[in-house]
């Protein structure tokens, strides 16, 4: 069994910054792609950013140039540095990872989410 736990959400003023973290734990052999998604009230969940096991990154269009995704493979952790935050970035942010477990089976795992609110 594997688990993803996010942290770092909260209330921030427009133009501010936040850093989200997500730690994977459990029966992990390796982790392929890791990423962040978000869901705002009344909207569908969307990709924010993703990073492969070798560091290749992919960003959603609305965050390009403002957010930076990174990972620490030794710590099974993915980060999301969010800069120049806007009110429209307000959402629940979810961590996602494709985890290879002890049975060498790929598990598409999700965290429970962390709320980011951008407001003055």
């Amino acid at each position: 069994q594997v688990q993803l736990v996010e942290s770092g959400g909260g209330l921030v003023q427009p133009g501010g910054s936040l850093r989200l973290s997500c730690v994977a734990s459990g029966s992990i052999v390796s982790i392929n792609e890791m990423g962040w998604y978000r869901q705002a009230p009344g909207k569908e969940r969307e990709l924010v950013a993703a990073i492969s096991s070798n560091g290749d990154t992919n960003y959603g269009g609305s965050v390009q140039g403002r957010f930076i995704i990174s990972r620490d493979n030794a710590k099974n952790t993915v980060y999301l540095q969010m800069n120049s935050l806007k009110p429209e970035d307000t959402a629940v942010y979810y961590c996602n990872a494709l985890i290879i477990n002890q049975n060498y089976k790929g598990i598409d795992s999700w965290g429970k989410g962390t709320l980011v609110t951008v407001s003055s």
Side-chain angles (χ1 to χ4, degrees), residues 56-77:
D56 293 332
T57 58
N58 179 39
Y59 293 93
S62 62
V63 307
Q64 185 80 37
R66 298 188 296 124
F67 291 9
I68 300 172
I69 189 170
S70 61
R71 64 190 285 175
D72 184 332
N73 291 330
K75 296 181 179 180
N76 291 335
T77 301

Side-chain angles (χ1 to χ4, degrees), residues 22-94:
C22 172
V23 180
S25 62
S27 301
I28 298 172
V29 172
S30 62
I31 304 176
N32 290 348
E33 188 168 274
M34 303 184 81
W36 291 94
Y37 289 73
R38 68 185 182 187
Q39 188 166 19
K43 295 188 176 181
E44 293 186 354
R45 190 172 296 189
E46 64 175 356
L47 172 70
V48 176
I51 184 167
S52 70
S53 57
N54 63 7
D56 293 332
T57 58
N58 179 39
Y59 293 93
S62 62
V63 307
Q64 185 80 37
R66 298 188 296 124
F67 291 9
I68 300 172
I69 189 170
S70 61
R71 64 190 285 175
D72 184 332
N73 291 330
K75 296 181 179 180
N76 291 335
T77 301
V78 62
Y79 305 97
L80 185 69
Q81 177 66 43
M82 304 186 293
N83 302 318
S84 302
L85 282 160
K86 305 175 181 180
E88 51 264 43
D89 294 317
T90 296
V92 177
Y93 284 70
Y94 297 92

